[in-house]
Amino acid sequence: MRFNRWMALCGLLVALFLLPGCTTEAAPESTPTPVTEATATPQSEVGEVPGATPTAPSEAETEPEGPSGEETEHVYRIGIAADLTTTNHWAYLGPDGTVWNGYVLAESKPSLYGYSAQRNDWIPSLAVDFPTPLKEEVVDGETLWTTEVELIEGVKWSDGNDVTAEDFAFTASTAAEMELTGNWPSIVDPDYFDYAETDGPYHLKIFFKQKPGLARWQFGLAFMPIFSKSYWEPVVTEARQAGDIIEQQKVLFSHVPEGEPSAGGFIFGQWERGAFAEKDRNPDYSFSGSEVALYANGAYSTSTLGLNEFTAYGEPSGEAVLEYVEGPFAASTIYSIYGSQDAAVLALKKGDIDFMLNPVGLSKGLQEQLAGEGGLTTIENASDGVRYLGFNFRRAPLDNRAFRQAVATLIDKEFLVDTVLQGVAIPIYTMVPEGNGAWYNSDVPLIGKGMTRQERVGRAVELLKEAGFTWETEPRVSEDGNFIEQPGEGLTMPNGEPVPAMGLFAPSAGYDPLRSTFAIWIERWLNEVGIPLRANLTGFNVIVEKVFDQQDFDMWILGWGLTPFPDYLESFFHSRHSALEGYNAGGYNNPDFDRLADGLLSETDLEAARQQVFEMQAFLAEDLPYVVLFDTPIVETYRSERIEYPYTDTWGGLQSVAGMPSLVDFR
Amino acid sequence: MVLTLFLIITLTFFLVEAQPGDYASFYVLNPDLPPEVKDQIRAAFGLDRPVWQQYLIHLKNTVTGNLGVSFGNYPRPVIDVLAERVPRTLVLFLTATAVSFYIGFFLGKAIAWRRGGLFEYATTISGAVLFTAFTPAFALMMIWVFAFKLGWFPVGKFLDPLVWRGADVSANYVFGNMLLSAGAFIVFALLVMLLLKRFGRAVPSVVALPIVLGGAAVIVAAWAISGIGGLALDIVKHMVLPVATLTLISFAGTMLLTRNSMLETIREDYVMAARAKGLPDKQVRDRHAARNAMLPVVTSLVYSLIFAIDGSVIIESVFSWPGTGLTLLQAVRSEDLPLVMGAILFIGVLSLLAHVVVDVLYVYLDPRIRYQ
């Protein structure tokens, strides 16, 4: 064969890919489906019905503007930076618990209770009111704790069935009996949940094996997403017939839901792997048009016409700090999948998407790219996380409280954040960030805050001396207080032994420049007073293995994402979690704190729990198992010329509420 | 070949295994999970066994053709994940490889033939500059200029959700058909050329091109009436920018290889003899010099085609094109061992096959080569 024929072949091959594009559509499935007007009234019907005749590219869909110049339908276009791994909600809360799955699958399942907007008050969702107080009962000779919940009548699944107490009982018993893993045990804790009993379709009685505190009941089981029994029961029955429990779970997790009913604002429609997912408006969404109000006096009220009226936390009077009406106002929400944040930002600039979801918000560079772009609005919220410095209490002198306080005093968070990091982070002092208003204690000791360099060194030396530490050569600050004239040398512990050389694990600059900067400065400040510390900047997985799996470390810097209910204080600092792979990796062991943590776990009263959390924060801020360092605000940008949110001030940013698909409205 | 494959599997397994932590470490970061649940998760993934046992299981799975279940897409089989990603990568990278090879070979041939001219300097310098460009920056610049500023092409991705909403078929179905069409066309074109060769001078060679084009027209017509032509067009529209980027970055490799090979060939006596016979310049260049110069170029092409399956992590990330390269990277980062092993095995087998194909091609292209 002659070579030029090879050339021709290659050329034609390319042409073959290109030529189909020059043709016009002629197949039946290309017939455009008429798209009816979607107004801002949530109850109105729209043409885009799940499972309706498939549509190929049509004028009405590709062009948002109709002939009259008005938008024919509102599509809320969100960018995400990774693909889903499942559309099966059991699997999402199990082994496929990615944040991206969460964004897309959010809001399709009802729960008995939830958080209020902005303030994170604990409020009924599917329940009519708060549950009855827990009481002890003897059932078949066994002592159990019970509570009862009344469900709102008339809340519908999108297949027309009622959402009932049976659905709740089915979901909880499936999770417990099939021993579902992943996040399930933190929702349905088998050590606490025994069974749920229904008395009619809307009355639920829940039995616990032991008295559940707020974390297990109000902020655990009560938040459980409820699955449709009529849809899932056959799947679960089939799964239960598979071999061992792992096989059973596999069958359940591998089911691909098709036509699964939703009780949220949207119904899952389509998933084109690697490209996009789409949710269509649920025309039968029961809470459409609900009016929600939060008042300055702390009161919360919601009213759903014909379904339920609810008020709590005081009488609604005075100024309403937030009022909104539940949608959805979009005919559908499309989640476009991008391979990188840069690509998603360009799409946002170009107008291809309205908002991009990202658990860490926009980086500084991307913020600058978007600055000054017309039609976009950038917002900043406190994030739901902390970055901290942890100590290994198994090694001296890290088990010495004065030593830890001296370290905390030496760390000038404000200097680092304001001067070195140019204000991209926020210094913090407690394990409950300020953004979590309901649980934040503003009255904790702020060790080192506002001190000059000279004062810091002076105070650290004083603390160490009081605790019995001695130097061969004491550190001395220059007269102007700007630098260390004489670094400390030969630091000795109270037992007479020299302070050993220590290591500080921290993420490298490639992973997190903020934490690595902190680590380098901490090393410098501690060395200046004679504490021999070396920062070891390394990979995230290495730190996790060294700290949590092997507990072979001195100090480390990492971060936690936090939940609104701060029961994590118990997980991080109770001595029972200090074994290998436990979350109390530092081995912090203080019986006084353990008592407080145990009290929080068994507490059932919200106000009493709040007081306990306040006390725990104050305790930790002085005892310092962690020196809480800083947090970064979540910066997000949305296309304000096209969409508007009822509110944008929210802890964790709009990403923490999955971009509010049921509330977003269109201009 | 079997030994090489065994080494590939073994090396890959232990390299991935050597990374700190494992897939279940992901769950360390959920403080609400009791340690026994984490153990259950490890057991479900088989990570509670000693490393040597895990290795033997992977080896056995590989031999029996069972690549296992992807941890990151649990409980989806690895083969499913690969079957989904491979066609996307193939369509993009085969097209880009074919285009860049075509342009590179054409230019290489031309600049070798007309040495010393402005055209050679301009082409070589620009080719070398593009060849050494920092790929992520160059790709982003292409997007910025052609997609964002000029608005000619989409900003990444392989399809437009607004076009595909409610589509009756999946993107993979369209990708599959695109590959099928290309395959059918190649077979048809080869058949036409073989038949023409068989009938020799009885059929004028000028007939070949219209017949081949006619075949292409039939395939295009089939697309037009299939009802999914618009969807294919959307994919093609999204391919233009990544293909252009890949071509600009890589054509210089083929061009310089062809040029060097041609420069050696045109010094041969038989080329001088062809000129002395008074053959037209084009004929001497294309039939006498270029054909003999193409051996190393074809070798390079075959390997490029095979490694096209591997995709390019950078191009796939920047253009949001979810193919095998991106999948492999994500699998390595999350220590999704079965998926890494599956992807590497797939690429390993194909690259070994490529060596066989190259050996066979050599015999066809150069009659002097004969294997004993």
Side-chain angles (χ1 to χ4, degrees), chain A residues 599-665:
Chain A
L600 176 67
L601 275 202
S602 58
E603 184 56 65
T604 57
D605 180 72
L606 214 56
E607 195 43 49
R610 185 171 286 133
Q611 291 313 313
Q612 279 171 322
V613 168
F614 276 33
E615 207 178 324
M616 288 162 87
Q617 287 175 70
F619 193 99
L620 292 170
E622 275 196 300
D623 217 24
L624 294 170
Y626 286 175
V627 176
V628 185
L629 297 173
F630 68 96
D631 187 17
T632 47
I634 291 268
V635 178
E636 298 167 306
T637 299
Y638 66 97
R639 184 153 287 282
S640 49
E641 66 178 7
R642 185 167 184 262
I643 58 168
E644 59 183 344
Y645 300 103
Y647 59 95
T648 54
D649 292 338
T650 181
W651 187 46
L654 295 175
Q655 66 83 29
S656 70
V657 282
M660 294 190 203
S662 289
L663 298 181
V664 71
D665 206 346

Side-chain angles (χ1 to χ4, degrees), chain A residues 85-325:
Chain A
T85 58
T86 185
T87 55
N88 178 325
H89 217 104
W90 296 102
Y92 154 56
L93 292 170
D96 287 300
T98 73
V99 67
W100 312 102
N101 289 337
Y103 286 146
V104 178
L105 299 179
E107 295 190 3
S108 63
K109 305 267 180 286
S111 60
L112 294 177
Y113 296 89
Y115 288 117
S116 71
Q118 288 190 327
R119 279 208 303 248
N120 288 328
D121 298 319
W122 188 67
I123 50 157
S125 177
L126 190 61
V128 170
D129 207 330
F130 290 127
T132 60
L134 287 159
K135 66 176 184 191
E136 223 170 343
E137 272 185 50
V138 178
V139 182
D140 297 331
E142 201 182 346
T143 305
L144 300 174
W145 288 83
T146 66
T147 181
E148 293 175 50
V149 180
E150 203 67 42
L151 270 64
I152 299 172
E153 288 184 34
V155 177
K156 301 278 185 193
W157 293 104
S158 55
D159 61 4
N161 289 324
D162 279 4
V163 179
T164 65
E166 279 290 337
D167 292 318
F168 177 91
F170 163 75
T171 309
S173 64
T174 300
E177 287 164 18
M178 291 189 72
E179 299 171 26
L180 298 185
T181 54
N183 290 303
W184 278 107
S186 61
I187 302 168
V188 184
D189 188 335
D191 291 339
Y192 286 81
F193 175 74
D194 197 1
Y195 64 98
E197 198 175 77
T198 59
D199 178 15
Y202 305 107
H203 188 87
L204 189 63
K205 187 170 183 181
I206 302 168
F207 295 77
F208 293 98
K209 293 171 190 165
Q210 53 180 306
K211 189 181 178 184
L214 290 161
R216 298 294 167 222
W217 164 223
Q218 284 95 329
F219 294 96
L221 188 64
F223 280 13
M224 179 187 77
I226 299 170
F227 289 63
S228 160
K229 184 180 177 184
S230 66
Y231 178 86
W232 282 102
E233 195 171 32
V235 180
V236 170
T237 307
E238 189 197 331
R240 298 301 299 271
Q241 287 161 0
D244 61 12
I245 202 77
I246 302 266
E247 277 306 310
Q248 292 180 23
Q249 290 172 3
K250 259 190 194 173
V251 173
L252 179 63
F253 293 150
S254 59
H255 175 81
V256 180
E258 279 177 21
E260 183 192 3
S262 162
F266 290 89
I267 306 164
F268 193 87
Q270 186 184 0
W271 175 24
E272 182 55 62
R273 288 176 189 272
F276 72 97
E278 183 178 14
K279 298 194 301 192
D280 302 300
R281 177 157 60 180
N282 177 3
D284 301 316
Y285 179 43
S286 304
F287 294 98
S288 257
S290 289
E291 291 171 3
V292 179
L294 276 80
Y295 293 84
N297 68 357
Y300 166 89
S301 83
T302 179
S303 162
T304 310
L305 198 63
L307 279 182
N308 197 32
E309 307 265 334
F310 174 79
T311 301
Y313 304 111
E315 278 304 308
S317 61
E319 186 199 351
V321 289
L322 175 67
E323 284 179 297
Y324 64 86
V325 176

Side-chain angles (χ1 to χ4, degrees), chain A residues 471-495:
Chain A
W471 281 266
E472 280 172 15
T473 311
E474 240 180 70
R476 193 175 62 246
V477 184
S478 65
E479 275 185 20
D480 58 10
N482 286 335
F483 64 95
I484 300 289
E485 214 166 51
Q486 170 63 58
E489 283 171 15
L491 184 61
T492 308
M493 293 191 286
N495 62 6

Side-chain angles (χ1 to χ4, degrees), chain B residues 105 225 241 270 299 302 305 337 357-358 362:
Chain B
F105 190 81
I225 60 169
L241 210 47
Y270 60 82
T299 312
V302 174
L305 288 175
L337 205 55
V357 171
V358 168
Y362 268 17

Side-chain angles (χ1 to χ4, degrees), chain A residues 1 3 7 12 17 21 25 27 54-55 73 85 95-96 181-183 270 272-273 275 278 337 339 350 545 583, chain B residues 21 27-28 30 33 40 72 74 76 84 88 95 102 105 147 157 164-166 171 213 227 230 233 236 294 320 364:
Chain A
M1 189 188 298
F3 187 72
M7 296 288 97
L12 282 168
F17 283 129
E25 283 290 331
T55 56
E73 64 171 3
T85 58
D96 287 300
T181 54
N183 290 303
Q270 186 184 0
E272 182 55 62
R273 288 176 189 272
E278 183 178 14
I337 299 153
K350 198 185 172 197
E545 186 165 270
Y583 302 107
Chain B
Y27 292 95
V28 167
N30 180 355
L33 281 191
Q40 277 178 29
Y74 190 84
R76 205 166 161 220
E84 173 195 298
R88 297 171 184 180
T95 310
Y102 182 85
F105 190 81
K157 299 175 68 64
W164 283 74
R165 292 173 67 200
L213 281 176
L233 167 63
V236 170
M294 71 188 291
S320 306
Y364 179 76

Side-chain angles (χ1 to χ4, degrees), chain A residues 329-346:
Chain A
F329 306 108
S332 75
T333 302
I334 290 181
Y335 299 86
S336 282
I337 299 153
Y338 291 90
S340 65
Q341 267 210 61
D342 300 272
V345 163
L346 275 175

